[in-house]
Amino acid sequence: FYQTVEHGFPHQPSALGYSPFLRLMAIGTRSGAIKLYGAPGVEFMGLHEENNTVMQIHFIPDQCQLVTLLDDNSLHLWSLKQHGGASELREEHRFTLKGPPGSPPSATQITAVLPHSSREVLYLGTESGNIFVVELPSFRVLEDRTISSEAVLQRVPEDNCNRRSCELVEALREHPKNPDQILIGYSRGLIVLWDLQNNKVTHHFLGSQQLENLYWQRDGSKFISCHYDGSYTQWPVSSDNRQPEPLENTVPYGPFPCKAISKIYWQTTKNGLPYIIFQGGMPRASYGDRHSISVIHGSQQTAFDFTSRVIDFFIIFSSEPAAEFDDPSAMVVLAEEELVVIDLKTAGWPAVHPPYLASLHCSAITCSHHVSNIPLKLWERIISAGSKQNIHYSSMPWPIDGGTNIAPDPPQRDLLLTGHEDGTVRFWDASGVCLHLLYKLSTVRVFLTDADPNDNMNTLGEDEWPPLRKVGTFDPYSDDPRLGIQKIYLCKYSGYLAVAGTAGQVLVMELNDEDAEHVVDHAEADLLQDQEGYRWKGHEKLKTRDGPVRFEAGFQPFVLVQCQPPAVVTSLALHSEWKLVAFGTSHGFGLFDHQQKRLVFVKCTLHPSDQLALEGPLSRVKSLKKSLRQSFRRIRRSRVSSRKRRGGSGSTSEVQEANAKFDQDTLQEMELAPVQRKIEARSAEDSFTGFVRTLYFADTFLRDSSRHCPSLWAGTNGGTVYAFCLRVPPAERRMDEPVRAEQAKEIQLMHRAPVVGILVLDGRSTPLPEPLEVAHDLSKSPDMQGSHQLLVVSEEQFKVFTLPKVSSKLKLKLTALEGCRVRKVTVANFGSCKTDDYSENDLAVLTNLGDIQIISLPFLKLQIRYPCIRKEDVSGIASCVFTKYGQGFYLISPSEFERFSLSTKWLVEPRCIVDVPEVTTNNHVHSRSGVENAARKSSPCDFGDERKSGRLMEHALLNDEKVLKEIQSTLEGGR
């Protein structure tokens, strides 16, 4: 069991860093995680033990090291080290700045961090105004080099400032051409240029407004300050000591009161017009709620309006010291819910499609479906449909391209499909480390909603001010919650796709490479079959569009089956060879022939007491209150009884169970996570007994042992299994004769636990192949000579029956033995990592305790058990999806999938290396010694360990033969 990689966007990001030297980006989160990203496939992750919020991230110049500042005021040094042929992110040191005894916390509360270009020290600005200097990598405080606020005040004319002027260091910036000078910005507006060699102020600058940030221009002749009132100011830095006056003070969105500009860049270009890029500054009254970053270049000006709060941003520009101009190429913005990259080289400044860090939760995920080993033809058609949707994206290569991906190429093409609350289905390339969006399908066009699909939120009049432009895909608001996708089923061989939603809608689609306009056929399935005494109290069905509907290239609906009552579709199965789709709700299930576009049959599974099933999940306020009241009473009762039995140890409350909205499987009756107990028969009067949990097509022996026939199996929440014989006409008469169905079996499990899985094993005890799998020569034909077996998986036990008699043969009582219940089950094929000749089919099972169990087929022996998900994480358990080859995904947050593998053969994990580039130096930057260069070449990324008290351990290096040879060749070559 390996947890291999996290896909998606980090939950609650809090800090951003970038190394122009390594071309790597780092993101920190509020839970203490730190993630590094470079070229696609280059990913590293670390976790601070404290789980505190990461406040700041700073890369050490020209090093494979970075420093993080947490909200508990601790500093942490991380290094990229090579181990086993690949780089790893490791925490080297941690440190907390302490003041003298009795000093207030503000004396050492770090507000600004500056890693010096010498790579030997960090400058730490604090709330008290003092600046401490700590040595790297030891984090030893160099007290004799502290820049105190008193020392600064003594060197600034008294008539210009007072003691409070030097409180709270807001920004520290090293002079771009002279590393012996640093710019110190204090919160109240005072800015000083400090000479590190002579410990004196060479220049001081007085701003009239509260300071937010500073930025040096490339040549060091001037710098920019930005302020709380929405203004920015240019300040010249003269070679003499004359008191400088500001060149220009600008309020870009004035004259009315504006929000603070919290960060600014001034980027020079060859054509002379600078790029001025800043965060904030919007008019406070009208646009105070916008999350914006403005880009100004000559007469061009755009205020990019982000869909969530901006955490931080950086600009990618020329980092060569010899380069005369910045020439910015891209802007990278970390917002709270997504990463947005803007191409600054292309006219119109389009967004760049990110290869990773996808905003999975741009609309809340409601279900997932994984399809392994996609045929190349289907894969190319999906990519082609997706490329037509991405024409508005920039074609520039991904600009964050540090490191090298050395992981082997994915052995096959895998798709992960996610259904969303807004009625969309997204197709993700899940073959490798990067979860990449291929194509997005929307079902909204079939229905009439309040929103007009032709509305364009981004259209601006020519005279609009400020010139706002919406960017980003995060949009958590759904036009109508009934549009939500609940079940997905894709046939990779035929290209048929079935999706089902919250309001009983089932859409069958096929792939079309061109845009098309056609009428979507409608059919209704009345699952109550006009039974007396039942009245649906939930939401209405969605209204459909009349006449032809225009669809983009890709998957296009050709038929809609509407369940009545319009309850959530809880199960779905598609058989593309027989051209049949089966669907189930809390009221029953039905079968639809999508070739003839005709309903074959419906079966009502409602019990007379199933009143809760008629209320619907979107309008069950009263019944939910009632259920919660009953739940709390049952919790209290269970606590009292459990204290008597076990001395008061509690159990997971069912309120957590009720909170799981990710998957409709949790709509079953609320219940406590079980403890060790016997399997008990449930009353037939429990609510939701008719809820259809699983549907399964099989060609097997149902009537007698001599003739096999197509069949449909359905399992309910009340422990009932229904089996229907199907008569599917041969291909030549398929359109002339109807498909017929007849109920052949009804099995009632004695313990009445919900049925979560049904499977038929052939004469070799192998699961039956998927539809069309044999026709495509990807599977052996099933053995129809030996007797077939039926495996029924309930929440509490596994049971094997013989077919066609349906007599019990074997069972495994999971709950009685393990004290847990089955939440997810699938057949997984486990291949040997040593030989291609051997593989075996087993059941992969996820329980409500978050354990994964592997159970052998057909003998139902427990092979192994792994803890995977915390049992309190009901949402994670509900969202889990297994793959056909022993991998799986589950949501660790609304925006992130954790990927895991149970297979030794199929393992997708990051494997990458970061080599240190050659350092280009100029006269103004500390150059490396030959020994230092030699050390770096001989051991890439390990340079951090070779430093002691800021100097090289030369004796260790001079004993290294490689290093001596490198030095010798350097001297002989006269370099």
Side-chain angles (χ1 to χ4, degrees):
F1 174 77
Y2 299 95
Q3 288 183 325
T4 56
V5 66
E6 291 175 4
H7 294 303
F9 185 77
H11 186 48
Q12 297 181 322
S14 55
L16 178 67
Y18 177 67
S19 168
F21 176 68
L22 299 174
R23 297 183 73 84
L24 294 178
M25 169 179 68
I27 294 176
T29 72
R30 280 164 59 178
S31 58
I34 177 169
K35 301 186 177 188
L36 270 62
Y37 299 91
V42 176
E43 294 186 14
F44 303 94
M45 181 180 167
L47 188 64
H48 296 89
E49 284 180 18
E50 297 80 359
N51 286 4
N52 287 74
T53 299
V54 180
M55 302 299 289
Q56 294 183 36
I57 301 172
H58 299 274
F59 281 87
I60 310 299
D62 303 346
Q63 293 279 58
C64 276
Q65 291 181 311
L66 63 152
V67 170
T68 55
L69 171 67
L70 305 191
D71 66 350
D72 64 355
N73 208 41
S74 63
L75 286 166
H76 301 254
L77 179 68
W78 298 80
S79 295
L80 282 168
K81 299 253 174 157
Q82 286 198 30
H83 176 72
S87 299
E88 292 180 354
L89 182 64
R90 296 183 192 166
E91 186 176 356
E92 300 287 323
H93 298 286
R94 64 187 64 191
F95 162 76
T96 302
L97 187 63
K98 291 183 171 61
S103 62
S106 63
T108 53
Q109 183 68 45
I110 299 169
T111 54
V113 179
L114 172 65
H116 195 260
S117 62
S118 66
R119 306 178 296 282
E120 294 179 352
V121 291
L122 285 179
Y123 291 88
L124 306 175
T126 62
E127 271 188 18
S128 62
N130 297 328
I131 296 163
F132 297 90
V133 186
V134 298
E135 191 176 55
L136 287 174
S138 64
F139 278 136
R140 182 168 65 90
V141 179
L142 305 176
E143 294 182 5
D144 57 323
R145 292 172 66 175
T146 299
I147 305 169
S148 67
S149 54
E150 289 81 6
V152 172
L153 276 172
Q154 287 170 12
R155 293 163 175 81
V156 175
E158 284 184 20
D159 55 338
N160 287 339
C161 59
N162 56 41
R163 180 171 179 75
R164 299 197 67 184
S165 300
C166 287
E167 285 182 358
L168 203 153
V169 178
E170 199 70 63
L172 292 170
R173 297 284 180 266
E174 183 180 335
H175 194 293
K177 298 295 183 185
N178 182 357
D180 291 331
Q181 291 184 340
I182 61 170
L183 199 61
I184 306 169
Y186 296 95
S187 176
R188 288 180 171 267
L190 174 66
I191 305 164
V192 299
L193 189 60
W194 182 265
D195 186 330
L196 297 172
Q197 291 291 332
N198 303 309
N199 285 336
K200 67 172 188 178
V201 172
T202 62
H203 298 75
H204 69 276
F205 312 85
L206 285 173
S208 58
Q209 291 292 333
Q210 182 178 318
L211 181 72
E212 291 289 320
N213 221 320
L214 299 170
Y215 187 79
W216 276 108
Q217 287 196 23
R218 191 180 188 92
D219 60 2
S221 63
K222 49 182 178 278
F223 68 88
I224 319 297
S225 62
C226 55
H227 301 274
Y228 182 76
D229 67 340
S231 67
Y232 64 84
T233 306
Q234 296 182 65
W235 303 88
V237 180
S238 56
S239 52
D240 54 32
N241 289 332
R242 283 184 294 110
Q243 173 59 33
E245 292 294 324
L247 287 174
E248 184 184 0
N249 183 61
T250 308
V251 184
Y253 295 113
F256 300 108
C258 293
K259 293 195 76 177
I261 293 179
S262 55
K263 188 172 183 177
I264 192 164
Y265 281 83
W266 185 288
Q267 302 274 281
T268 56
T269 61
K270 288 173 187 164
N271 67 6
L273 292 170
Y275 278 84
I276 306 163
I277 304 167
F278 55 87
Q279 178 184 345
M282 283 280 129
R284 194 174 287 276
S286 307
Y287 300 95
D289 59 341
R290 301 299 180 99
H291 315 290
S292 70
I293 294 177
S294 297
V295 181
I296 302 171
H297 179 57
S299 59
Q300 283 181 277
Q301 180 166 349
T302 299
F304 292 100
D305 186 9
F306 296 89
T307 55
S308 55
R309 185 172 62 91
V310 174
I311 305 296
D312 201 355
F313 75 102
F314 61 84
I315 306 299
I316 296 176
F317 57 90
S318 173
S319 57
E320 288 292 323
E324 192 177 344
F325 303 102
D326 293 310
D327 281 328
S329 58
M331 174 172 73
V332 180
V333 183
L334 177 67
E336 201 164 37
E337 305 291 356
E338 64 187 323
L339 183 84
V340 178
V341 179
I342 303 295
D343 176 0
L344 297 176
K345 288 282 189 190
T346 304
W349 300 331
V352 182
H353 197 43
Y356 47 69
L357 285 171
S359 182
L360 297 176
H361 64 316
C362 41
S363 173
I365 293 176
T366 46
C367 66
S368 306
H369 176 65
H370 187 274
V371 190
S372 299
N373 211 2
I374 303 289
L376 180 61
K377 184 83 187 291
L378 177 64
W379 187 263
E380 288 173 343
R381 293 177 71 191
I382 291 171
I383 289 175
S384 171
S387 64
K388 292 173 184 174
Q389 296 176 335
N390 294 334
I391 51 172
H392 57 282
Y393 280 106
S394 165
S395 58
M396 85 176 293
W398 183 244
I400 303 161
D401 54 5
T404 307
N405 178 17
I406 56 172
D409 289 335
Q412 61 184 31
R413 294 170 292 275
D414 287 357
L415 273 180
L416 180 67
L417 282 68
T418 53
H420 297 263
E421 195 178 47
D422 62 355
T424 58
V425 177
R426 285 172 169 79
F427 290 64
W428 305 93
D429 177 358
S431 316
V433 170
C434 296
L435 193 70
H436 180 60
L437 182 65
L438 298 178
Y439 164 67
K440 184 179 93 170
L441 159 72
S442 176
T443 62
V444 178
R445 284 188 175 273
V446 180
F447 305 104
L448 285 167
T449 59
D450 295 336
D452 183 348
N454 297 319
D455 282 352
N456 188 350
M457 301 297 286
N458 291 339
T459 50
L460 281 176
E462 288 188 10
D463 301 326
E464 288 279 349
W465 190 260
L468 286 163
R469 186 175 116 203
K470 269 265 191 247
V471 282
T473 59
F474 179 70
D475 182 12
Y477 308 107
S478 171
D479 295 331
D480 192 326
R482 295 174 297 173
L483 289 166
I485 305 295
Q486 296 298 335
K487 294 291 170 187
I488 306 169
Y489 196 104
L490 171 68
C491 174
K492 62 186 178 185
Y493 304 112
S494 64
Y496 282 116
L497 171 71
V499 296
T502 304
Q505 70 271 30
V506 179
L507 285 162
V508 187
M509 314 186 187
E510 58 186 341
L511 194 52
N512 188 345
D513 298 328
E514 302 296 332
D515 292 8
E517 189 170 358
H518 59 255
V519 175
V520 178
D521 288 296
H522 295 175
E524 285 218 348
D526 181 9
L527 294 169
L528 292 183
Q529 296 172 305
D530 302 322
Q531 293 195 26
E532 293 294 321
Y534 289 104
R535 189 171 62 84
W536 172 246
K537 302 172 189 172
H539 49 265
E540 294 180 356
K541 68 174 184 178
L542 284 157
K543 291 177 182 168
T544 53
R545 292 181 185 274
D546 295 326
V549 183
R550 182 151 194 84
F551 297 104
E552 296 176 334
F555 286 95
Q556 298 172 352
F558 62 89
V559 68
L560 164 68
V561 184
Q562 178 63 57
C563 298
Q564 287 290 11
V568 171
V569 177
T570 56
S571 53
L572 185 69
L574 177 74
H575 201 293
S576 45
E577 195 169 355
W578 301 337
K579 306 288 194 298
L580 298 175
V581 61
F583 48 88
T585 73
S586 50
H587 307 121
F589 60 96
L591 181 66
F592 186 80
D593 177 350
H594 65 74
Q595 185 165 3
Q596 291 189 12
K597 297 174 184 171
R598 175 184 159 275
L599 191 66
V600 179
F601 77 90
V602 291
K603 169 73 176 175
C604 181
T605 55
L606 269 185
H607 188 273
S609 64
D610 271 354
Q611 285 305 311
L612 194 59
L614 292 165
E615 295 182 6
L618 300 180
S619 60
R620 292 214 325 267
V621 179
K622 287 183 182 175
S623 64
L624 187 61
K625 285 180 180 174
K626 183 182 171 187
S627 299
L628 287 171
R629 262 200 308 275
Q630 290 170 347
S631 301
F632 283 119
R633 283 178 192 144
R634 282 160 64 187
I635 291 167
R636 276 198 291 272
R637 282 203 300 271
S638 73
R639 278 181 182 160
V640 171
S641 60
S642 64
R643 281 196 195 103
K644 288 174 184 171
R645 286 199 311 272
R646 302 189 309 278
S649 62
S651 58
T652 309
S653 82
E654 55 200 299
V655 178
Q656 291 170 320
E657 195 86 32
N659 283 337
K661 293 290 183 187
F662 285 90
D663 195 290
Q664 218 55 43
D665 285 354
T666 54
L667 270 177
Q668 60 200 272
E669 75 274 18
M670 297 184 187
E671 60 196 354
L672 290 166
V675 292
Q676 293 276 343
R677 67 172 184 82
K678 290 181 181 176
I679 297 178
E680 297 166 2
R682 304 187 186 195
S683 162
E685 295 175 3
D686 282 358
S687 350
F688 270 134
T689 55
F691 179 123
V692 179
R693 292 289 290 273
T694 184
L695 290 162
Y696 177 69
F697 285 108
D699 188 353
T700 187
F701 300 92
L702 200 52
R703 291 203 180 280
D704 56 57
S705 55
S706 59
R707 287 178 305 179
H708 56 89
C709 67
S711 62
L712 172 66
W713 300 76
T716 73
N717 219 46
T720 308
V721 177
Y722 300 95
F724 280 76
C725 269
L726 306 178
R727 186 188 167 280
V728 182
E732 62 274 11
R733 299 197 304 276
R734 184 65 179 82
M735 287 302 290
D736 304 326
E737 298 178 17
V739 174
R740 300 196 184 279
E742 186 180 349
Q743 185 168 336
K745 303 278 190 239
E746 182 173 332
I747 308 164
Q748 178 61 59
L749 301 179
M750 295 301 291
H751 58 290
R752 298 184 184 277
V755 177
V756 294
I758 297 172
L759 183 68
V760 172
L761 306 175
D762 70 6
R764 291 187 294 261
S765 298
T766 303
L768 295 182
E770 293 178 25
L772 296 174
E773 195 170 12
V774 176
H776 284 75
D777 296 327
L778 294 167
S779 173
K780 289 181 183 175
S781 296
D783 184 343
M784 293 298 186
Q785 304 304 316
S787 59
H788 285 198
Q789 300 171 79
L790 171 71
L791 171 64
V792 177
V793 182
S794 78
E795 279 193 355
E796 300 183 355
Q797 71 177 23
F798 300 78
K799 198 162 186 177
V800 175
F801 299 89
T802 60
L803 286 175
K805 288 184 177 178
V806 193
S807 55
S808 179
K809 181 179 177 184
L810 188 67
K811 65 181 170 186
L812 171 63
K813 296 182 177 181
L814 195 71
T815 302
L817 300 175
E818 310 292 341
C820 56
R821 292 188 183 168
V822 177
R823 282 287 177 261
K824 303 274 178 174
V825 63
T826 196
V827 176
N829 181 269
F830 292 96
S832 167
C833 60
K834 295 184 177 175
T835 173
D836 290 336
D837 300 336
Y838 180 77
S839 69
E840 61 183 58
N841 290 303
D842 296 294
L843 289 176
V845 178
L846 176 71
T847 73
N848 64 331
L849 303 182
D851 291 339
I852 287 179
Q853 305 189 9
I854 307 297
I855 294 169
S856 70
L857 284 174
F859 301 113
L860 301 183
K861 299 290 184 190
L862 177 62
Q863 301 293 300
I864 199 158
R865 180 196 298 117
Y866 303 103
C868 178
I869 310 173
R870 290 179 305 108
K871 65 181 179 183
E872 296 83 12
D873 184 7
V874 184
S875 302
I877 292 169
S879 67
C880 181
V881 56
F882 287 108
T883 78
K884 193 178 175 181
Y885 295 101
Q887 298 184 69
F889 303 81
Y890 67 93
L891 288 170
I892 50 174
S893 75
S895 58
E896 290 170 290
F897 275 113
E898 175 77 68
R899 187 181 192 129
F900 61 86
S901 179
L902 305 161
S903 167
T904 53
K905 186 175 182 180
W906 304 97
L907 193 65
V908 174
E909 60 181 344
R911 187 167 169 78
C912 40
I913 193 164
V914 176
D915 280 317
V916 177
E918 285 291 323
V919 182
T920 313
T921 59
N922 61 13
N923 297 333
H924 301 289
V925 179
H926 291 304
S927 59
R928 276 210 182 93
S929 66
V931 175
E932 202 169 321
N933 266 322
R936 180 166 294 281
K937 286 177 185 172
S938 65
S939 178
C941 281
D942 285 359
F943 190 58
D945 273 1
E946 302 296 338
R947 222 175 253 288
K948 188 172 181 181
S949 304
R951 293 176 178 82
L952 289 167
M953 295 167 63
E954 293 187 30
H955 66 279
L957 290 171
L958 293 173
N959 286 331
D960 189 316
E961 257 184 49
K962 279 187 186 174
V963 176
L964 287 171
K965 283 180 181 173
E966 179 76 18
I967 295 169
Q968 189 178 352
S969 67
T970 304
L971 294 171
E972 286 173 357
R975 296 200 300 271

